[in-house]
């Protein structure tokens, strides 16, 4: 599966407004068009950041689904309100699953649970990891296909490996890693990843 890791910087104090709108209007309406809303999160260390994961069967279905959604009635009606909460929505990694993102029942997230996303960056393409720590939920790596929906930019020229875990990643950082990012994520009430 192709997965977007989307990190939005929001206007001060407007994160809950976006989450309420997103969870109410943008989950089922994207899924009806063949996309998977895999998880929505509050970044616990950045109070004005919203993080979410969106999945696609392949790059063709990504283009088709995004075109249908962003030219459709739901985005036409609610997109301006969503955009009004945002300062930046272009911090996006285009990834491919190495270990699939699990899907749990929507609406059953523990409001106090925390997931961890660890992003390793290399100077060149990342090899698939051969071993995953026991609490690993998913592993994603850069998808190198060209962005086929340029209206939504993605970061290019980067080589990333993303670990999603239930606790801080317990793994030796390879010497080739040039940068590490750590995110502590609290699922929204409607996130399927929790």
């Amino acid at each position: 599966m192709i997965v977007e890791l989307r990190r939005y910087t929001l206007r001060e104090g407007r994160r809950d407004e976006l989450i309420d709108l997103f969870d109410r209007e943008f989950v089922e309406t994207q899924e009806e068009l063949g996309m998977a809303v895999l998880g929505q999160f509050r970044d616990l260390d950045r109070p004005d950041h919203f993080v979410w994961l969106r999945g696609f069967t392949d790059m063709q279905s990504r283009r088709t689904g995004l075109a249908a959604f962003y030219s459709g009635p739901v985005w036409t009606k609610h997109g301006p309100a969503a955009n009004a909460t945002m300062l930046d929505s272009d911090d996006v990694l285009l990834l491919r699953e190495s270990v699939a993102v699990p899907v749990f029942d929507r609406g059953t997230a523990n409001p106090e649970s925390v997931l961890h996303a660890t992003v390793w960056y290399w100077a060149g393409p990342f090899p698939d990891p051969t071993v995953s720590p026991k609490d690993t939920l998913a592993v994603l790596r850069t998808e190198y296909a060209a962005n086929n929906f340029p209206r939504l930019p993605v970061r290019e020229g980067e080589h990333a490996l993303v670990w999603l875990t239930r606790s801080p990643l317990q793994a030796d950082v390879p010497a080739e890693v040039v940068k590490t990012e750590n995110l502590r994520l609290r699922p929204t009430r409607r996130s399927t990843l929790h």
Side-chain angles (χ1 to χ4, degrees), residues 17-188:
E17 178 185 345
L18 176 63
I19 288 171
D20 289 344
L21 176 63
F22 190 101
D23 281 356
R24 185 180 67 244
E25 301 295 343
F26 298 149
V27 175
E28 285 81 7
T29 53
Q30 291 185 79
E31 291 182 342
E32 289 167 2
L33 297 171
M35 298 174 278
V37 178
L38 299 169
Q40 308 94 261
F41 308 94
R42 289 172 174 87
D43 184 326
L44 291 177
D45 299 309
R46 297 161 191 89
D48 294 318
H49 281 216
F50 173 65
V51 178
W52 66 293
L53 298 166
R54 176 168 49 193
F56 311 88
T57 304
D58 52 32
M59 290 299 290
Q60 177 59 42
S61 67
R62 177 179 182 266
R63 183 168 55 109
T64 302
L66 293 177
F69 181 73
Y70 289 104
S71 65
V74 172
W75 186 253
T76 299
K77 181 176 181 179
H78 299 288
N83 284 336
T85 68
M86 299 177 197
L87 294 172
D88 177 33
S89 62
D90 294 346
D91 186 354
V92 180
L93 290 174
L94 188 61
L95 306 163
R96 177 176 292 279
E97 292 176 322
S98 293
V99 175
V101 176
V103 176
F104 303 109
D105 290 338
R106 191 177 307 284
T108 61
N110 175 344
E112 299 304 314
S113 68
V114 177
L115 299 179
H116 297 264
T118 303
V119 186
W120 289 346
Y121 296 93
W122 282 30
F126 233 108
D128 282 329
T130 55
V131 176
S132 294
K134 69 176 183 160
D135 67 345
T136 298
L137 295 168
V139 181
L140 310 161
R141 58 189 298 239
T142 297
E143 166 58 50
Y144 292 104
N147 180 9
N148 60 359
F149 194 74
R151 179 174 164 190
L152 295 183
V154 299
R155 289 163 46 186
E156 296 179 345
E158 296 185 22
H159 310 283
L161 185 72
V162 179
W163 300 87
L164 298 174
T165 55
R166 292 207 182 277
S167 58
L169 181 65
Q170 300 297 315
D172 293 330
V173 179
E176 297 85 358
V177 170
V178 297
K179 178 182 167 187
T180 300
E181 292 179 314
N182 295 295
L183 306 174
R184 293 185 317 126
L185 304 173
R186 175 152 292 149
T188 71

